[in-house]
Amino acid sequence: MKKRIFIHEVVTRDGLQIEPQWIPTERKIELVDALSQTGLAKIEVTSFVSAKAIPNLRDAEEVMAGIRRNPDVDYVALIANARGAERAMAAKADEVNLVASVSETHNRANMRRATGASFAGFVEMMPLLKSGGVRVNGALATSFGCPFEGDVPAQRVMDLVGQYVEMGVDSITLADTTGMAHPAQVAALCAKVLERWPGLQVALHFHNTRGMGLANVLAGLNAGVERFEGCLGGLGGCPFAPGATGNVCSEDVVHMLQSMGYDTGVDLDRLLAVARRLGAVVGHDLPGQVVKAGKISDLHPRPAELV
Ligand code: COA
Ligand code: ZN
């Protein structure tokens, strides 16, 4: 039996939030609908945040209302405050993704408040979310380093995971906002978290800013993590983190894991077909590799002189 690994797609949230030009609502809906047919476990569709902070996702309600849902997929929305929780619940998100940063400076840049204030808000929101039956994921941005503060102590990450667990989240995500994680660090932190909370569902969210994205996925995998977030085409980035660049590329992650003998549940050819159309949606070239090179099983004709 192949080991099952779950892939969470974030392109219409992390991917589109940093795109400078407006992406029409219809294109977003088409993208989610196509991704819904590829075998992904979760799709983070959008965020219910301030339209001033993230103008490209100001159509969150319309996108959520317009998508055709596959019952096998969990449709996730990122939120930062109570207003976002109400909007996400009205839009019938299956899961909300609470986000706060481990680093105070990034939390202030991104959310305009102290990390403690973000958490205090989450604690207040939990009864409403629980009564509405929505799953709650707790994400920690800058878990592996902060573009303003540098090193982030592992103990601080552990404390904040503990706060999420205590308030009753269903799962957590450790996010490397600007690609500062390295594989040894990922292995150590994941081992710590899984040892302290053995039943906890943990996902990893990496950016490939320094070329360590797939190596970090592998380090997390070897530490026992079964869920990875990725972004189609390798788009993505936080507009409030200087130097942010794309997430690990979903189709490259799936291609690597399948080549290694893991069951990702994803139909790679279908995912690649959606990735091939993404450049036209955003109007520029994408960092994804497999879509350009082809799968390792896609061979070329032999040189004529050898035939
Ligand atoms: N949905 C829609 N609008 C919202 C909102 C929400 N969840 N929360 C706040 N707003 C609006 C307010 O109505 C206000 O609008 P106005 O200026 O027209 O009156 C404006 O946003 C500012 O609201 P305020 O409560 O003063 O918030 P703030 O300026 O302190 O910003 C956040 C705090 C959290 C709302 C804002 O920083 C934000 O949305 N950040 C999200 C960043 C993000 O998504 N980053 C990438 C993902 S990690
Ligand atoms: Zn991200």
Side-chain angles (χ1 to χ4, degrees), residues 198-274:
L200 183 62
Q201 195 181 102
V202 176
L204 293 172
H205 175 114
F206 293 120
H207 283 260
N208 196 35
T209 313
R210 292 174 177 80
M212 293 186 278
L214 287 184
N216 287 331
V217 169
L218 205 52
L221 191 71
N222 290 337
V225 174
E226 296 173 344
R227 293 178 176 264
F228 297 91
E229 299 188 356
C231 193
L232 198 72
L235 281 184
C238 174
F240 303 99
T245 64
N247 293 74
V248 288
C249 170
S250 305
E251 61 272 21
D252 292 0
V253 171
V254 168
H255 178 265
M256 178 182 82
L257 295 175
Q258 290 188 354
S259 303
M260 293 172 71
Y262 291 96
D263 170 16
T264 62
V266 174
D267 182 328
L268 180 57
D269 290 318
R270 280 195 188 181
L271 191 65
L272 284 165
V274 188

Side-chain angles (χ1 to χ4, degrees), residues 69-152:
R69 299 193 189 202
N70 177 340
D72 296 332
V73 179
D74 282 329
Y75 295 91
V76 183
L78 181 150
I79 62 173
N81 59 14
R83 170 116 178 258
E86 285 157 16
R87 292 176 63 202
M89 287 174 74
K92 302 210 162 17
D94 296 313
E95 178 175 311
V96 292
N97 190 19
L98 309 176
V99 177
S101 305
V102 182
S103 124
E104 285 292 342
T105 313
H106 185 256
N107 208 74
R108 283 190 184 279
N110 198 29
M111 303 301 182
R112 298 168 168 278
R113 68 196 62 172
T115 301
S118 283
F119 271 83
F122 298 159
V123 169
E124 273 181 29
M125 282 148 57
M126 282 306 278
L128 174 75
L129 293 168
K130 288 281 170 186
S131 71
V134 60
R135 279 189 90 266
V136 182
N137 183 70
L140 289 173
T142 66
S143 282
F144 299 92
C146 167
F148 306 105
E149 295 183 16
D151 283 350
V152 165

